[in-house]
Amino acid sequence: DAVMTQSPLSLPVTLGQPASISCRSSESLVHTGGQTYLNWLQQRPGQSPRRLIYQVSNRETGVPDRFSGSGSGTDFTLKISRVEAEDAGVYYCMQGTHWPYTFGQGTKLEIQ
Amino acid sequence: EVLLVESGGGLIRPGGSLRLSCAASGFTFSGDSMNWVRQAPGKGLEWVSWISPDGRTRVDAKSVEGRFTMSRDNAKNLLFLQMTSLREEDTAVYYCATIPMVRGGGAYWGQGVLVTVSS
């Protein structure tokens, strides 16, 4: 299985400051078709998850442009340029290149 | 408006069986693959099962293989998860979700349903 390792697991951030979450896969996430199926999801307290980013760097409709994804192969990053109060929650990377799909452990972003 | 509404959860003893349902509306259900994802209390997300749009192909996580069976009724826009031989470690909130990998949009999650396996 592709093991997804996120860091840090806890991320205290001051309002208006940037934040960065790393996600590393135990194997390359480049699909045989050439695409890389790496997603970022956000789960706010008490809510269901929602997808922010698909295929490494593509924002879902309605996701603020302060969120950006980057990376390739086995190393990926989610960045928030200026954290807002509504960004508090847990962020997960998820790969869909290999069966079974797997998630990272989650990174809890706390607003200071 | 897209809605995914799970039902069928509850308290069940170890070794028992339960069937979860997910009612879909607001999108072309028959055109999308579907997933079940679970979250144990206070823990992270765990992918459970995937089913193709026509229901002919399924993939399961090793942790549920041989015990859980995902199915769908495209005529009624319903998704199911038949769970047997339940264990305490199956205790979790179960979400049905569309998570298309090849395109943006169409990524929807239900509100989740709690399954508690305990004696």
Side-chain angles (χ1 to χ4, degrees):
Chain A
D1 297 1
V3 177
M4 308 298 287
T5 303
Q6 289 182 226
S7 63
L9 299 185
S10 178
L11 183 57
V13 184
T14 302
L15 275 175
Q17 293 301 302
S20 180
I21 301 170
S22 171
C23 175
R24 182 164 292 177
S25 173
S26 62
E27 49 190 289
S28 173
L29 298 185
V30 179
H31 192 265
T32 52
Q35 296 294 333
T36 300
Y37 299 125
L38 187 282
N39 306 273
W40 288 98
L41 293 86
Q42 176 196 59
Q43 187 174 30
R44 290 172 172 150
Q47 294 187 13
S48 301
R50 71 158 176 156
R51 188 166 69 176
L52 300 175
I53 303 282
Y54 65 97
Q55 291 182 33
V56 181
S57 59
N58 298 284
R59 274 189 305 275
E60 288 282 8
T61 301
V63 173
D65 60 8
R66 63 179 181 274
F67 290 93
S68 64
S70 63
S72 64
T74 60
D75 291 313
F76 304 92
T77 303
L78 176 70
K79 291 184 178 177
I80 308 174
S81 58
R82 293 173 306 280
V83 168
E84 298 190 6
E86 65 179 17
D87 299 337
V90 182
Y91 292 79
Y92 297 92
C93 58
M94 175 200 179
Q95 68 82 21
T97 297
H98 305 291
W99 295 114
Y101 291 168
T102 46
F103 291 90
Q105 317 98 298
T107 294
K108 186 173 185 178
L109 189 148
E110 299 172 317
I111 309 296
Q112 292 187 317
Chain B
E1 180 193 10
V2 171
L3 280 178
L4 292 171
V5 180
E6 301 94 338
S7 60
L11 175 64
I12 187 78
R13 296 196 185 279
S17 298
L18 208 57
R19 188 174 86 153
L20 304 183
S21 299
C22 172
S25 60
F27 68 104
T28 307
F29 178 74
S30 61
D32 275 334
S33 59
M34 296 294 298
N35 299 268
W36 286 99
V37 175
R38 68 185 180 183
Q39 186 169 35
K43 302 297 184 183
L45 301 172
E46 179 189 10
W47 174 83
V48 173
S49 294
W50 174 94
I51 192 167
S52 61
D54 62 7
R56 294 182 179 182
T57 305
R58 292 187 297 112
V59 184
D60 299 315
K62 293 187 186 73
S63 58
V64 305
E65 213 165 35
R67 301 187 300 123
F68 291 11
T69 303
M70 190 175 183
S71 62
R72 64 192 298 163
D73 183 340
N74 284 345
K76 296 181 179 178
N77 285 3
L78 289 172
L79 183 72
F80 303 103
L81 186 67
Q82 179 68 48
M83 304 186 292
T84 63
S85 302
L86 282 160
R87 306 166 181 167
E88 290 189 351
E89 55 264 36
D90 295 318
T91 294
V93 172
Y94 285 74
Y95 297 99
C96 64
T98 65
I99 317 173
M101 295 298 162
V102 299
R103 58 179 171 85
Y108 311 121
W109 292 68
Q111 85 288 351
V113 64
L114 177 62
V115 173
T116 303
V117 184
S118 175
S119 53

